[in-house]
Amino acid sequence: MDRIDRQILAILLTDGRATYQDLGRRVRLSANTVADRVRRLRTDGIVRGYRAEVDLAALGRGMELLSDIRLREGVDRTAFEARLNDVPQVVAAMRLTGDYDYQLRVACADAREFETVVDRLKADLGVREARSRLLLHEVPLGPDRLLSP
């Protein structure tokens, strides 16, 4: 990956809908050359896809929490991970090392809905313990910081 690839990635990280013409103008290459570079970045697995960023509060889920999860002994992790898809309030999940098995990011309308989610995780998914914290705000850090040489 060279300097121009890094420039293209930085632009795509902030504007995934940028056209090849726009990318080319900004990195001073032809649209066809930029398209070839983007295709190579996708083939190499560097660019995995494009997504819309959704405002959870606008969807009525403005209460976000981080929950550290410890599973009961004997719970199959693969089954737990698959079952998380059945809990729409869980918007992200990471498997961890250390005292807890997972960290979940949960988006709810209010505390009552969150309580229902925790009860469901414990009753249906094998969660032994959930330690949760309310997310006050997310600090915006530009993802293009990763592209510095």
Side-chain angles (χ1 to χ4, degrees):
M1 215 171 60
D2 64 11
R3 178 185 56 80
I4 294 173
D5 287 340
R6 289 179 190 281
Q7 288 176 321
I8 291 169
L9 284 173
I11 295 165
L12 289 174
L13 283 168
T14 58
D15 181 8
R17 295 181 56 161
T19 64
Y20 294 138
Q21 290 81 13
D22 183 43
L23 288 169
R25 183 179 44 76
R26 292 171 69 180
V27 299
R28 296 189 173 128
L29 292 175
S30 72
N32 286 338
T33 301
V34 168
D36 289 341
R37 283 177 173 262
V38 171
R39 276 191 288 277
R40 183 177 39 77
L41 291 168
R42 289 193 66 158
T43 300
D44 291 348
I46 295 169
V47 174
R48 295 189 308 184
Y50 304 92
R51 291 168 187 75
E53 189 174 321
V54 177
D55 182 347
L56 294 169
L59 294 176
R61 300 199 176 279
M63 184 177 159
E64 291 185 68
L65 301 104
L66 295 176
S67 295
D68 295 328
I69 300 296
R70 186 174 290 141
L71 299 179
R72 287 193 299 262
E73 205 61 42
V75 171
D76 177 47
R77 294 185 197 299
T78 305
F80 171 77
E81 292 176 12
R83 300 271 326 267
L84 285 175
N85 281 311
D86 299 332
V87 186
Q89 296 89 344
V90 175
V91 296
M94 289 73 60
R95 185 160 179 216
L96 307 173
T97 63
D99 293 335
Y100 290 89
D101 299 309
Y102 290 89
Q103 183 173 77
L104 307 181
R105 186 169 184 156
V106 181
C108 296
D110 54 30
R112 184 167 297 163
E113 182 180 16
F114 180 65
E115 182 179 17
T116 302
V117 170
V118 171
D119 290 344
R120 181 171 182 198
L121 290 170
K122 289 181 176 182
D124 299 340
L125 278 77
V127 169
R128 180 177 80 190
E129 180 183 348
R131 188 186 81 187
S132 303
R133 288 140 354 261
L134 182 64
L135 197 117
L136 298 175
H137 76 271
E138 192 164 354
V139 177
L141 300 172
D144 58 332
R145 298 174 308 116
L146 297 170
L147 302 173
S148 298

